[in-house]
Amino acid sequence: MWWLYALLSALFASLTAIFAKIGVSGVNSDLATAIRTIIILIMAWGIVFFRGEGKGLQHLSKFSLIFLILSGMATGLSWIFYFKALQMGKVSQVAPVDKLSVALTIVLSVAFLHEALTIKTAIGALLIISGTLVLIL
């Protein structure tokens, strides 16, 4: 079932790129990122409260909280650079290059999380990197 959620994520990520490219036209990219962030904030907290999952806040460890904060900061920086790139470039080039994050995540998961690197995963990462280089050059 995970693959269905992953496909839905990919679908909405592609719509995000299209909508963002249209929306960022004539708008400061930092302002556009801030507007997008407010919407995401409202949606995320709405889902948490609608499902009654807010009680989980009191059970968060400092360790988890630190890494969730770091993840949020990385997400924010990613969005800031993504919107700036969208403002300056073609969405058909920016979005695929942004997906180089998939290959980088594979490398980092092996280095920091000690996940196993299979031949299939390594070949996939190399193909992503190769495709990114084709788009950049």
Side-chain angles (χ1 to χ4, degrees), residues 4-135:
L4 179 59
Y5 291 114
L7 286 174
L8 287 170
S9 173
L11 170 66
F12 285 107
S14 68
L15 289 173
T16 297
I18 301 300
F19 296 156
K21 178 63 177 178
I22 296 167
V24 81
S25 177
V27 176
N28 175 281
S29 61
D30 294 331
L31 176 60
T33 303
I35 292 168
R36 174 185 177 181
T37 303
I38 289 171
I39 300 305
I40 293 167
L41 182 72
I42 292 167
M43 285 182 59
W45 280 108
I47 291 167
V48 165
F49 288 121
F50 178 75
R51 292 178 146 187
E53 296 168 346
K55 357 180 199 342
L57 277 173
Q58 61 194 14
H59 301 294
L60 278 177
S61 69
K62 286 183 183 179
F63 182 81
S64 290
L65 189 58
I66 287 168
F67 280 93
L68 290 171
I69 289 168
L70 289 172
S71 174
M73 291 169 64
T75 299
L77 289 169
S78 172
W79 290 353
I80 287 167
F81 293 125
Y82 182 72
F83 267 57
K84 192 65 173 174
L86 276 179
Q87 194 171 49
M88 299 170 69
K90 295 179 182 179
V91 72
S92 60
Q93 292 174 316
V94 172
V97 171
D98 176 66
K99 296 312 172 205
L100 178 61
S101 64
V102 173
L104 293 173
T105 301
I106 290 168
V107 171
L108 294 175
S109 72
V110 171
F112 294 109
L113 302 176
H114 309 291
E115 293 185 0
L117 180 63
T118 65
I119 292 293
K120 185 168 76 169
T121 304
I123 291 170
L126 288 173
L127 287 171
I128 292 167
I129 293 166
S130 300
T132 302
L133 289 174
V134 167
L135 288 170

